[in-house]
Amino acid sequence: MTVKELQAKILELKKETNTAVLAHSYQSREIVEIADFTGDSYKLSVDAAKIPNENILFCGVHFMAETAKMLSPEKRVYLANKGAGCPMAEQMDRDMIAEIKAKEPDRTVVAYINTTASLKTVCDVCVTSSSALKIVKNIDSDKILFIPDCNLGGWVKSQLPEKDIMLLNGGCPAHSSITVEEVLAAKAEHPDALFLVHPECRPEVTALADYAGSTSGIMDFAMKSDAKEFIIGTETSIAEHLQYDCPEKKFYPLTKKLICTDMKLTTLPDVYRSLLAIAGKPEGEAFEILMDEEQISAARKCIDKMIELGG
Ligand code: 13P
Ligand code: SF4
């Protein structure tokens, strides 16, 4: 079967099963093409809360599907590849944060959305990379504990010197592996290109950027800019999608090694198999996100707070 034939079968099954496919922008082109909603983590959480479909099939990583389930508990939510998790989401656990909270009770705990539902239960508000700055600024407290990403937290801290922001040692293994030397090499190779970067990169890398922002922020900046060439300092898919969307401009991935292996686990056949199972076909296989009401209400408060403060 060709990619186009498989995509056509997927489109039919989506309709037959009343399923909306949500795909993070780090997914491959062939998956983005069959998705109903694409974007960064913030946009997809807002979309998940609003869509009318009976089923949601998430192409991304586990915490994203879990967030969609919490925002739409009445829907059946599936993750297209059950092995796709975000390593950063597993770096800190509830007991560790509860212990710090006991010692520093006046700190508001701000959790990057890349955390497990269990950890979210001890946090006050979630943020995504596109909403972190605005939300931390809007929080009615100057004492913050920002978890788990010290690079994103450090980037927020550098712009809000009036706040006392405590950071812990977590981060994205893919983005934080980028070095200053790699940036300088890319800039030497493409001297006319603007350098756009995700704030999950280390501060010395972000400091070299012409623009730092979330996945959607980077894409919007590149699409609206008058510049013609860009070095893209985030997951390699973003340079690829931008190249399709703006063929008259040139996009260079900062380095081909900036790949989120978890995001790339999901394949088009995974989407097809999941939809076959949702349609009740025995040859299908789907991984459903199951959470009870108690788990949802304990973890959801900080996501609702994110939508309230970030909207
Ligand atoms: P955004 O989608 O918020 O830009 O975050 C990138 C990311 O690493 C997703 O896990
Ligand atoms: Fe997690 Fe980094 Fe992958 Fe995002 S890019 S899902 S933070 S490992």
Side-chain angles (χ1 to χ4, degrees), residues 114-157:
N114 302 37
T115 40
T116 58
S118 156
L119 184 55
K120 285 183 176 85
T121 61
V122 289
C123 299
D124 299 300
V125 56
C126 272
V127 295
T128 66
S129 50
S130 61
S131 59
L133 191 58
K134 182 175 177 188
I135 290 177
V136 175
K137 202 174 178 176
N138 285 346
I139 289 173
D140 188 19
S141 157
D142 284 344
K143 294 193 79 177
I144 307 283
L145 168 62
F146 190 105
I147 59 164
D149 188 345
C150 62
N151 293 325
L152 178 67
W155 178 71
V156 171
K157 188 178 164 111

Coordinates of all heavy atoms in Angstrom, one line a residue, residues 114-157:
N114 N 4.8 19.3 30.4 CA 5.5 18.0 30.2 C 5.8 17.3 31.5 O 6.9 17.2 32.0 CB 6.9 18.2 29.5 CG 6.8 18.9 28.2 OD1 5.9 19.8 28.0 ND2 7.6 18.5 27.2
T115 N 4.7 17.0 32.2 CA 4.8 16.3 33.5 C 3.7 15.2 33.6 O 2.7 15.3 32.8 CB 4.6 17.3 34.7 OG1 3.5 18.2 34.3 CG2 5.8 18.1 35.0
T116 N 3.8 14.3 34.5 CA 2.8 13.2 34.6 C 1.5 13.8 35.3 O 1.7 14.8 36.0 CB 3.3 12.0 35.4 OG1 3.7 12.5 36.7 CG2 4.5 11.4 34.7
A117 N 0.4 13.1 35.1 CA -0.8 13.6 35.8 C -0.6 13.5 37.3 O -1.0 14.3 38.1 CB -2.0 12.7 35.4
S118 N 0.2 12.5 37.8 CA 0.4 12.3 39.2 C 1.2 13.5 39.8 O 0.9 14.0 40.8 CB 1.2 11.0 39.4 OG 2.0 11.0 40.5
L119 N 2.2 14.0 39.0 CA 3.0 15.1 39.5 C 2.1 16.4 39.5 O 2.2 17.3 40.4 CB 4.2 15.3 38.6 CG 5.2 16.4 39.0 CD1 5.6 16.3 40.5 CD2 6.4 16.4 38.1
K120 N 1.2 16.5 38.5 CA 0.4 17.7 38.4 C -0.5 17.9 39.6 O -0.9 19.0 40.0 CB -0.5 17.6 37.1 CG 0.3 17.9 35.8 CD -0.6 17.9 34.6 CE 0.1 18.3 33.3 NZ 0.8 17.1 32.7
T121 N -0.8 16.8 40.3 CA -1.7 16.9 41.5 C -1.1 17.7 42.6 O -1.8 18.2 43.5 CB -2.0 15.5 42.1 OG1 -0.8 14.8 42.5 CG2 -2.8 14.6 41.1
V122 N 0.3 17.9 42.6 CA 0.9 18.7 43.7 C 1.4 20.1 43.1 O 2.1 20.8 43.8 CB 2.1 18.0 44.4 CG1 1.6 16.9 45.3 CG2 3.1 17.5 43.4
C123 N 0.9 20.4 41.9 CA 1.3 21.7 41.3 C 0.2 22.7 41.3 O -1.0 22.2 41.4 CB 1.8 21.4 39.9 SG 3.3 20.3 39.9
D124 N 0.5 24.0 41.3 CA -0.6 25.0 41.3 C -1.1 25.4 39.9 O -2.2 25.6 39.7 CB -0.1 26.2 42.1 CG 0.3 25.9 43.5 OD1 -0.6 25.4 44.2 OD2 1.5 26.0 43.9
V125 N -0.1 25.5 39.0 CA -0.5 25.9 37.6 C 0.4 25.3 36.6 O 1.6 25.1 36.9 CB -0.6 27.4 37.5 CG1 0.7 28.1 37.9 CG2 -1.0 27.9 36.1
C126 N -0.1 24.9 35.5 CA 0.7 24.4 34.4 C 1.1 25.5 33.4 O 0.3 26.5 33.3 CB 0.0 23.4 33.6 SG 0.1 21.7 34.2
V127 N 2.2 25.3 32.7 CA 2.5 26.3 31.6 C 3.0 25.4 30.4 O 3.4 24.3 30.6 CB 3.6 27.3 32.0 CG1 3.2 28.2 33.1 CG2 4.9 26.6 32.4
T128 N 2.9 26.0 29.2 CA 3.6 25.4 28.1 C 4.7 26.4 27.7 O 4.7 27.6 28.2 CB 2.6 25.2 26.9 OG1 2.2 26.5 26.5 CG2 1.4 24.4 27.3
S129 N 5.5 26.1 26.7 CA 6.5 27.0 26.4 C 5.9 28.3 25.8 O 6.5 29.4 25.9 CB 7.5 26.4 25.4 OG 6.8 25.8 24.3
S130 N 4.8 28.3 25.1 CA 4.2 29.5 24.6 C 3.5 30.3 25.6 O 3.3 31.5 25.4 CB 3.2 29.2 23.4 OG 2.2 28.4 23.9
S131 N 3.2 29.8 26.8 CA 2.4 30.6 27.8 C 3.2 30.8 29.0 O 2.7 31.5 29.9 CB 1.1 29.8 28.1 OG 1.4 28.5 28.6
A132 N 4.4 30.2 29.2 CA 5.1 30.3 30.4 C 5.4 31.7 30.9 O 5.1 32.0 32.1 CB 6.4 29.5 30.3
L133 N 5.9 32.5 30.0 CA 6.3 33.9 30.4 C 5.0 34.7 30.9 O 5.0 35.3 32.0 CB 6.9 34.6 29.2 CG 7.6 35.9 29.5 CD1 8.7 35.7 30.5 CD2 8.2 36.4 28.2
K134 N 4.0 34.6 30.1 CA 2.7 35.3 30.4 C 2.1 34.8 31.8 O 1.7 35.6 32.6 CB 1.7 35.1 29.3 CG 0.4 35.9 29.5 CD -0.4 35.7 28.2 CE -1.8 36.4 28.4 NZ -2.7 36.1 27.3
I135 N 2.1 33.5 31.9 CA 1.5 33.0 33.1 C 2.3 33.3 34.4 O 1.7 33.7 35.4 CB 1.2 31.5 33.0 CG1 0.1 31.2 31.9 CG2 0.8 30.8 34.3 CD1 -0.2 29.8 31.6
V136 N 3.6 33.1 34.3 CA 4.4 33.4 35.5 C 4.3 34.9 35.9 O 4.2 35.2 37.1 CB 5.9 32.9 35.3 CG1 6.7 33.3 36.5 CG2 6.0 31.4 35.1
K137 N 4.3 35.7 34.9 CA 4.1 37.1 35.1 C 2.8 37.4 35.8 O 2.7 38.2 36.7 CB 4.1 37.8 33.7 CG 4.5 39.3 33.8 CD 4.6 39.8 32.4 CE 4.9 41.3 32.4 NZ 5.1 41.8 31.0
N138 N 1.7 36.7 35.4 CA 0.4 37.0 35.9 C 0.1 36.3 37.2 O -0.9 36.6 37.8 CB -0.7 36.4 34.9 CG -0.8 37.3 33.7 OD1 -0.3 38.4 33.7 ND2 -1.5 36.8 32.6
I139 N 1.0 35.4 37.7 CA 0.7 34.8 39.0 C 0.8 35.8 40.1 O 1.8 36.6 40.1 CB 1.7 33.6 39.2 CG1 1.4 32.5 38.3 CG2 1.7 33.1 40.7 CD1 2.4 31.4 38.3
D140 N -0.1 35.7 41.0 CA -0.2 36.7 42.1 C 0.7 36.3 43.2 O 0.3 36.2 44.4 CB -1.7 36.7 42.5 CG -2.0 37.8 43.5 OD1 -1.2 38.7 43.5 OD2 -3.0 37.6 44.3
S141 N 2.0 36.1 42.9 CA 2.9 35.7 44.0 C 4.3 35.9 43.3 O 4.5 35.7 42.1 CB 2.8 34.2 44.4 OG 4.0 33.7 44.9
D142 N 5.3 36.3 44.2 CA 6.6 36.6 43.6 C 7.5 35.4 43.8 O 8.6 35.3 43.3 CB 7.3 37.8 44.3 CG 6.6 39.1 43.7 OD1 6.0 38.9 42.6 OD2 6.8 40.1 44.3
K143 N 7.1 34.4 44.6 CA 7.9 33.2 44.9 C 7.4 32.0 44.1 O 6.3 31.6 44.4 CB 7.9 33.0 46.4 CG 8.6 34.1 47.2 CD 8.9 33.7 48.6 CE 10.2 32.9 48.7 NZ 10.6 32.5 50.0
I144 N 8.2 31.5 43.2 CA 7.8 30.5 42.3 C 8.8 29.3 42.4 O 10.0 29.5 42.6 CB 7.9 31.0 40.9 CG1 7.1 32.3 40.7 CG2 7.5 30.0 39.8 CD1 5.6 32.2 40.6
L145 N 8.3 28.1 42.3 CA 9.1 26.9 42.1 C 8.7 26.5 40.7 O 7.6 26.1 40.4 CB 8.9 25.8 43.1 CG 9.5 24.4 42.8 CD1 11.0 24.5 42.7 CD2 9.1 23.4 43.8
F146 N 9.7 26.5 39.7 CA 9.4 26.1 38.3 C 10.0 24.8 38.0 O 11.2 24.6 38.2 CB 10.0 27.2 37.4 CG 9.6 27.0 35.9 CD1 8.6 27.9 35.4 CD2 10.1 26.0 35.1 CE1 8.2 27.8 34.1 CE2 9.7 25.9 33.8 CZ 8.7 26.8 33.3
I147 N 9.1 23.8 37.6 CA 9.6 22.4 37.4 C 9.1 22.0 36.0 O 8.1 22.5 35.5 CB 9.2 21.4 38.5 CG1 7.6 21.4 38.5 CG2 9.8 21.8 39.8 CD1 7.1 20.2 39.3
P148 N 9.7 20.9 35.4 CA 11.0 20.4 35.7 C 12.1 21.0 34.8 O 13.3 20.7 35.1 CB 10.8 18.9 35.3 CG 9.7 18.9 34.2 CD 8.9 20.1 34.4
D149 N 11.8 21.8 33.8 CA 12.8 22.2 32.9 C 13.5 23.5 33.3 O 13.0 24.6 33.3 CB 12.1 22.5 31.5 CG 13.1 22.7 30.4 OD1 14.3 23.0 30.7 OD2 12.7 22.7 29.2
C150 N 14.8 23.3 33.7 CA 15.6 24.5 34.2 C 15.9 25.5 33.1 O 16.2 26.6 33.3 CB 16.8 24.1 35.1 SG 18.0 23.2 34.1
N151 N 15.9 25.0 31.9 CA 16.3 25.9 30.7 C 15.1 26.8 30.4 O 15.2 28.0 30.4 CB 16.7 25.1 29.5 CG 18.0 24.4 29.7 OD1 18.9 24.9 30.4 ND2 18.1 23.2 29.1
L152 N 13.9 26.2 30.3 CA 12.7 27.0 30.1 C 12.5 27.9 31.3 O 12.2 29.1 31.1 CB 11.5 26.1 29.8 CG 10.2 26.9 29.6 CD1 10.2 27.7 28.3 CD2 9.0 25.9 29.6
G153 N 12.6 27.4 32.5 CA 12.4 28.2 33.7 C 13.5 29.3 33.8 O 13.2 30.4 34.2
G154 N 14.7 29.0 33.4 CA 15.8 30.0 33.4 C 15.5 31.1 32.4 O 15.8 32.3 32.6
W155 N 14.9 30.8 31.3 CA 14.6 31.7 30.2 C 13.5 32.7 30.7 O 13.6 33.9 30.6 CB 14.1 31.0 29.0 CG 13.7 31.8 27.8 CD1 14.5 32.6 27.0 CD2 12.3 32.0 27.4 NE1 13.7 33.2 26.1 CE2 12.4 32.9 26.2 CE3 11.1 31.5 27.7 CZ2 11.3 33.2 25.5 CZ3 10.0 31.9 27.0 CH2 10.1 32.7 25.9
V156 N 12.5 32.1 31.4 CA 11.4 32.9 32.0 C 12.0 33.8 33.1 O 11.8 35.0 33.2 CB 10.3 32.0 32.7 CG1 9.3 32.8 33.5 CG2 9.6 31.2 31.6
K157 N 12.9 33.3 34.0 CA 13.5 34.0 35.1 C 14.3 35.2 34.5 O 14.3 36.3 35.1 CB 14.4 33.0 35.8 CG 15.0 33.5 37.1 CD 15.9 32.3 37.7 CE 16.8 32.8 38.7 NZ 16.5 32.3 40.1

